[in-house]
Amino acid sequence: MRIIDAFAPAKINLTLHVTGQRADGYHLLDSLVAFGPMGDRLVLRESDVLSLSVAGPEAAGVPADPSNLVLKAAALLSRPAGQGAEIHLDKYLPPASGIGGGSSDAAAALRGLAALWDQPLPAETAQLGADVPMCLTPQPQRVRGIGETLDPVALPPLPALLVNPRVEVPTPAIFKGLDSKDNPPMPEALPTFAGAHDCIDWLATQRNDLQAPAIASAPVIGEVLDGLMMLPGCRLARMSGSGATCFALFETLDGAQAAEAMLAQRRPDWWRASGMLGDQTQKAQPQSRASSS
């Protein structure tokens, strides 16, 4: 029996500029995205039926029925006759937290099932959500339009601490709370960075336009950002996506890990994870192995 291990890394919006809104209501974005070493894990086993089970420290409230994006993703693939898959999802990322957990799970399922069933990836995945196409190739990229324009970018590894105060914020309400939906994009040509220091300095000149309305909806996000900025060595603190997960960037991984330990003492009720944001392409490739049973 073949077994496929697939990793679903956290997606972090280092910047998120809302640049307009289409007539159909979709918002136009210009965002710099990176992926982290923290994430969910999927194990896919050969089976004659398709099934999903969910466990892990963040599994509460995550459905294992057809409403889960993992099973919706499976429906997009050409499934060989008589073949299915037993999919087990271990949740380590908090759901509905602005770091693409469900979308990354769907993308990992697509990569894993394509390997298990020897099928090509589907051409169209945006119907699963705007974040899924970018999560299919989890490496630094610039995302524009409604998520359909993806351009790889070169970023230095960025030591980071992610924190979620365990509140959910409704994305439609956050967009509705924007004072302006026609904001400047990032520069057309992004800089070349010599290292993390230069990159963080430049990121500090950019924005997440959803941060202010998210804080208005959930003031604890402002508390998280203030707490991160007070940590020794923090160079930049910002919200990811539509929230409520925030990130802090540091000069070194040791600094990020020390900050995580300090925050764990102050706010043990908050979810947190530290690591290097960077190219996850190799780690995200599905790994095949044979069952020992």
Side-chain angles (χ1 to χ4, degrees):
M1 177 187 295
R2 289 178 64 204
I3 300 176
I4 301 290
D5 296 308
F7 180 58
K11 173 214 53 117
I12 296 89
N13 295 91
L14 298 171
T15 70
L16 201 164
H17 297 204
V18 180
T19 59
Q21 187 174 19
R22 300 193 322 191
D24 60 7
Y26 284 97
H27 291 84
L28 302 175
L29 308 176
D30 189 8
S31 180
L32 190 60
V33 170
F35 293 83
M38 60 292 289
D40 299 333
R41 300 182 184 278
L42 288 81
V43 177
L44 305 92
R45 292 179 170 85
E46 291 180 326
S47 175
D48 55 357
V49 297
L50 184 64
S51 64
L52 173 65
S53 59
V54 183
E58 300 296 326
V62 178
D65 59 36
S67 66
N68 192 297
L69 278 180
V70 167
L71 292 179
K72 291 183 178 181
L76 293 185
L77 284 163
S78 296
R79 179 176 165 187
Q83 292 191 39
E86 179 185 314
I87 305 172
H88 180 75
L89 169 61
D90 276 323
K91 285 294 297 181
Y92 295 94
L93 301 178
S97 58
I99 49 177
S103 296
S104 194
D105 292 344
L110 287 172
R111 292 191 300 267
L113 289 171
L116 188 69
W117 293 339
D118 297 318
Q119 297 292 320
L121 289 170
E124 296 294 333
T125 60
Q127 60 187 282
L128 297 172
D131 285 351
V132 174
M134 69 185 80
C135 290
L136 274 177
T137 307
Q139 62 186 16
Q141 53 197 291
R142 183 177 188 171
V143 181
R144 284 178 278 193
I146 60 171
E148 80 282 9
T149 303
L150 307 174
D151 297 300
V153 298
L155 291 180
L158 295 171
L161 169 61
L162 306 185
V163 175
N164 184 282
R166 297 198 177 280
V167 298
E168 295 186 12
V169 290
T171 298
I174 301 307
F175 275 101
K176 187 177 181 180
L178 278 168
D179 289 334
S180 171
K181 299 183 180 182
D182 188 15
N183 304 294
M186 292 187 292
E188 184 61 31
L190 301 185
T192 299
F193 304 111
H197 185 94
D198 288 349
C199 185
I200 296 170
D201 282 348
W202 181 82
L203 288 171
T205 69
Q206 305 302 299
R207 316 179 308 275
N208 180 345
D209 290 330
L210 300 182
Q211 184 169 298
I215 292 173
S217 174
V220 68
I221 295 173
E223 182 183 341
V224 172
L225 292 168
D226 290 343
L228 290 175
M229 285 302 301
M230 293 174 61
L231 293 171
C234 175
R235 293 284 317 284
L236 174 66
R238 179 172 288 159
M239 189 182 77
S240 176
S242 59
T245 301
C246 300
F247 63 87
L249 299 180
F250 297 79
E251 297 277 358
T252 66
L253 180 58
D254 284 346
Q257 292 173 336
E260 180 184 7
M262 184 176 296
L263 189 67
Q265 295 292 323
R266 296 177 181 174
R267 293 305 304 254
D269 53 322
W270 288 355
W271 177 90
R272 64 204 171 274
S274 59
M276 299 291 284
L277 307 185
D279 190 339
Q280 293 295 304
T281 303
Q282 295 302 315
K283 189 171 185 178
Q285 292 302 316
Q287 302 296 314
S288 179
R289 56 188 170 91
S291 172
S292 59
S293 60

